Amino acid sequence: MVGFDTLEFVAKANEKILNYSETLPQHTYRGNSLKCQFANYQAFVNPKNWKVYFSQSIQKAVDGQNVFFDIEAQRQKLLELCDITHLNLELARVYRQDIATTIELKHNPETIFPLFVALDGFERELNGGSLYFNHYAKDGTKRNTLLLYDKVRELREKRQPVPLQCNGGN
């Protein structure tokens, strides 16, 4: 199933927002921002302008993994986030939205990637075990990226558990 992976957005809040944050073992700062968590979703609150920056895999916030995606559970998590924080996420500005899916392959991705030669309007880049198709604007800034990679390999490299459904697969 297709779903969202990383979702980065910012919303306007007020000082009451910190009353809704979950206690973290360590409060760390990024610039002037306080790192906190809402409904298992990582956020940074800037007390100077009361903007809340959310950045995390929405599926990891749902169930701790980002291999299989449940769009309905993700929608429920965002509604829960609205209820807890009292933020109007309809007014939030989205900076990054990764759409993802997991496809089980019969063959190793490194043997299949050379078959993906071109994608109209995108530059192809094979980097290690990943295949990138990058689309650039006229001014040279990167606009969109299609990324294909071996998720099982990534999980093993990060020493994260591989779901049973993926064992033996590519």
Side-chain angles (χ1 to χ4, degrees):
M1 175 172 280
V2 174
F4 296 113
D5 192 7
T6 301
L7 190 58
E8 292 181 4
F9 56 97
V10 63
K12 187 77 170 152
N14 60 44
E15 63 273 3
K16 294 179 183 178
I17 193 78
L18 294 178
N19 296 336
Y20 302 108
S21 68
E22 299 166 15
T23 306
L24 292 181
Q26 290 180 321
H27 289 286
T28 56
Y29 292 85
R30 186 171 110 186
N32 295 324
S33 299
L34 173 65
K35 181 179 179 182
C36 51
Q37 204 160 335
F38 301 95
N40 204 28
Y41 206 89
Q42 179 177 290
F44 294 91
V45 179
N46 186 332
K48 286 187 176 181
N49 59 12
W50 294 110
K51 288 188 178 178
V52 185
Y53 299 87
F54 296 91
S55 176
Q56 182 179 338
S57 166
I58 185 71
Q59 189 63 44
K60 280 188 178 179
V62 169
D63 63 8
Q65 57 83 32
N66 66 341
V67 177
F68 301 104
F69 300 92
D70 182 344
I71 197 75
E72 180 57 28
Q74 292 178 357
R75 189 179 76 76
Q76 290 298 324
K77 179 57 73 174
L78 289 173
L79 290 173
E80 179 186 0
L81 195 60
C82 290
D83 289 343
I84 290 171
T85 61
H86 300 282
L87 295 173
N88 184 350
L89 295 186
E90 291 179 359
L91 301 176
R93 181 172 175 204
V94 176
Y95 287 97
R96 176 179 171 183
Q97 179 178 336
D98 292 358
I99 299 171
T101 193
T102 300
I103 302 169
E104 188 174 345
L105 303 173
K106 291 181 181 178
H107 302 285
N108 191 311
E110 282 81 13
T111 61
I112 295 172
F113 287 165
L115 302 175
F116 293 97
V117 179
L119 181 61
D120 193 33
F122 287 75
E123 292 181 14
R124 181 183 187 278
E125 177 188 347
L126 187 59
N127 186 349
S130 302
L131 178 60
Y132 294 84
F133 287 97
N134 296 310
H135 173 71
Y136 294 91
K138 290 180 182 179
D139 65 0
T141 57
K142 192 186 307 186
R143 300 291 302 188
N144 300 306
T145 299
L146 171 64
L147 170 60
L148 305 172
Y149 64 97
D150 186 342
K151 186 66 175 184
V152 173
R153 178 180 170 184
E154 178 196 42
L155 291 171
R156 287 184 180 137
E157 287 175 357
K158 291 182 175 181
R159 297 178 187 214
Q160 295 178 352
V162 177
L164 293 175
Q165 302 95 312
C166 295
N167 282 334
N170 291 303

